[in-house]
């Protein structure tokens, strides 16, 4: 399967610029991940309490080339056999920075390049860990823009089982953090505040948890948080208690839908990826259920749950080895269903 270019296909440079993290990595098909780096833009966006698309694109321009130089140096050789870059979904301006730098490098170096679906990158990130999940599996993809339950038969054969009907779960974490006056990005800030919360004080609703479909809804929970917050003083204790109750409800919704999907589709393996997959409480609760119910659970390490170049390098290696070749022309694809991807080979 991986015999391309008339020979062995080894090293791929991966570039991620879909949102507010600039990521680069080099993946080697024989030696695994050789190097990876991430440049955070937290300082740029923090004063605004969220990502400012134009500033994100400018930061990618500033940060990307030094990062590429660093990962190439650290990989032990300034050569690659191909380049992979996130082409969508994401912020158009941000995507175009990664795409144009990648296409230019590929042209200059005379190597192929492939545009990668950001969520396929997240989906395949657990493949960078050991043990790797075998196909087929159920995937819970939870990020700032997506909450998806996907039946994964093999690479490129994805069946959507459930999705959010309103906010993504990461978005709900971010908006709740803002309501509580916590710092950006919201997910880690909520998780940190929740550690000091009193589990007995509030119980927030779990919208659609009893609904037979595998779809999610988080906007009602967010509204409930807003109403609660507006009726109280924002002191440390209240913030911690609300953070705990919100996190508890959000995780409960995810866990309930995962259990239902595992049962309905007779999956024995659950893969969780995307930024919210870094949440320790979610990892703990699913871990306990995996033991009790006898399914296998796979997560990328927390730093590969959130956006990174390593997952794009890996997905790129798979796609390039599967003979995906994109022409010199390109356009960003801000909206792009995962199920539109072709199988490989
Ligand atoms: O995958 P990701 O880095 O970017 C997107 O593709 O959107 O996910 C970012 C999302 C943000 O909403 C962030 O608040 C959330 O993941 N997140 C977390 C945690 N770390 C990041 N949510 C809950 N707990 C965390 N520890
Ligand atoms: Zn992401």
């Amino acid at each position: 399967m991986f015999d391309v270019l008339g020979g062995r296909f080894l090293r791929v440079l991966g570039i991620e610029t879909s949102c507010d993290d600039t990521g680069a990595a080099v993946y080697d098909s024989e030696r695994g991940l050789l190097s990876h780096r991430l440049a955070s833009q937290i300082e740029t966006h923090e004063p605004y309490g969220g990502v400012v698309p134009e500033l994100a694109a400018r930061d990618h321009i500033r940060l990307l080339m030094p990062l590429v130089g660093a990962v190439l140096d650290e990989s032990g050789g300034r050569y690659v056999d191909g380049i992979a870059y996130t082409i969508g979904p994401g912020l158009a301006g941000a995507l175009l920075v990664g795409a144009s730098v990648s296409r230019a490098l590929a042209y200059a170096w005379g190597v192929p390049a492939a545009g990668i679906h950001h969520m396929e990158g997240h989906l395949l990130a657990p493949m960078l860990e050991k043990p790797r999940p075998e196909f087929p599996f159920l995937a819970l993809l939870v990020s700032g823009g997506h909450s998806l339950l996907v039946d994964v038969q093999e690479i490129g054969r994805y069946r959507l089982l459930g999705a959010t009907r309103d906010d993504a779960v990461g978005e709900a974490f971010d908006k709740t953090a803002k309501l509580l006056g916590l710092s950006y990005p919201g997910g880690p800030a909520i998780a940190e505040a929740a550690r000091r919360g009193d589990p007995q004080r509030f119980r927030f609703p779990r919208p659609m948890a009893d609904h037979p479909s595998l779809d999610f809804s988080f906007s009602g929970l967010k509204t409930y948080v807003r109403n609660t917050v507006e009726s109280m003083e924002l002191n440390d204790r209240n913030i911690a208690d609300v953070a705990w109750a919100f996190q508890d409800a959000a995780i409960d919704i995810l866990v309930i839908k995962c259990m239902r999907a595992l049962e309905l589709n007779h999956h024995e393996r659950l893969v969780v990826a995307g930024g919210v997959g870094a949440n320790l409480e979610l990892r703990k609760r699913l871990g306990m259920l995996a033991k009790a119910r006898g399914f296998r659970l796979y997560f990328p390490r927390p730093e590969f749950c959130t956006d990174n170049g390593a997952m794009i390098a890996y997905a790129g290696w798979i796609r390039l080895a599967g003979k995906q070749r994109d022409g010199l022309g390109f356009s960003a694809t801000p909206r792009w269903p995962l199920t539109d991807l072709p199988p490989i080979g």
Side-chain angles (χ1 to χ4, degrees), residues 1-2 120 154-157 318-319 321-324 342-345:
M1 175 169 98
F2 299 128
E120 184 171 64
E154 58 182 81
I155 287 163
R157 290 195 47 195
I318 294 276
R319 288 275 167 197
K323 296 197 169 40
Q324 178 178 330
I344 55 165

Side-chain angles (χ1 to χ4, degrees), residues 191-316:
E192 176 58 30
R195 282 164 13 115
R196 299 183 300 275
D198 172 4
Q200 309 303 329
R201 174 129 176 247
F202 299 113
R203 184 176 166 85
F204 288 179
R206 277 92 168 124
M208 282 192 59
D210 298 330
H211 195 278
S213 85
L214 294 172
D215 284 346
F216 305 96
S217 166
F218 292 99
S219 74
L221 176 57
K222 180 192 63 192
T223 306
Y224 198 92
V225 173
R226 176 178 297 124
N227 292 339
T228 309
V229 168
E230 280 171 0
S231 67
M232 61 175 29
E233 185 202 339
L234 268 190
N235 56 36
D236 282 354
R237 185 169 151 248
N238 286 343
I239 289 171
D241 292 348
V242 170
W244 193 92
F246 163 79
Q247 180 177 263
D248 188 48
I251 291 177
D252 241 20
I253 296 168
L254 297 177
V255 169
I256 289 168
K257 296 287 173 172
C258 281
M259 292 307 117
R260 191 169 297 155
L262 281 170
E263 241 164 64
L264 284 173
N265 295 278
H266 309 290
H267 279 294
E268 291 164 7
R269 287 174 281 269
L270 172 64
V271 163
V272 183
V276 181
N279 186 281
L280 294 181
E281 192 61 29
L282 173 67
R283 295 168 87 98
K284 194 173 97 189
R285 286 196 208 173
L286 282 174
M288 289 187 316
L289 277 166
K291 272 202 187 121
R293 308 250 179 123
F295 61 90
R296 284 171 186 261
L297 179 63
Y298 302 86
F299 284 103
R301 70 196 83 166
E303 66 172 322
F304 290 168
C305 282
T306 43
D307 290 350
N308 65 86
M311 67 184 195
I312 301 303
Y314 181 81

Side-chain angles (χ1 to χ4, degrees), residues 120 150-159 319 341-343:
E120 184 171 64
V150 187
D151 168 50
V152 179
Q153 288 299 317
E154 58 182 81
I155 287 163
R157 290 195 47 195
Y158 308 132
R159 190 164 61 93
R319 288 275 167 197
L341 284 175

Side-chain angles (χ1 to χ4, degrees), residues 122-173:
H122 277 305
L123 178 74
L124 297 178
M127 301 289 180
L128 292 163
E129 312 296 353
K130 286 198 174 73
R132 287 180 179 181
E134 285 168 25
F135 299 102
F137 55 76
L138 173 73
L140 173 70
L141 299 180
V142 275
S143 69
H146 296 85
S147 307
L148 307 172
L149 270 168
V150 187
D151 168 50
V152 179
Q153 288 299 317
E154 58 182 81
I155 287 163
R157 290 195 47 195
Y158 308 132
R159 190 164 61 93
L160 189 65
L161 302 174
T164 183
R165 296 194 178 177
D166 37 61
D167 293 351
V169 60
E171 195 180 350
F173 267 90

Side-chain angles (χ1 to χ4, degrees), residues 63-111:
L63 296 166
L64 185 55
M65 279 314 290
L67 217 59
V68 167
V71 294
L72 287 176
D73 283 344
E74 285 162 18
S75 72
R78 277 195 158 256
Y79 75 92
V80 290
D81 303 300
I83 302 180
Y85 54 96
T86 306
I87 191 66
L91 304 171
L95 290 165
L96 284 173
V97 176
S100 37
V101 165
S102 300
R103 297 271 16 145
L105 289 177
Y107 184 72
W109 295 342
V111 297

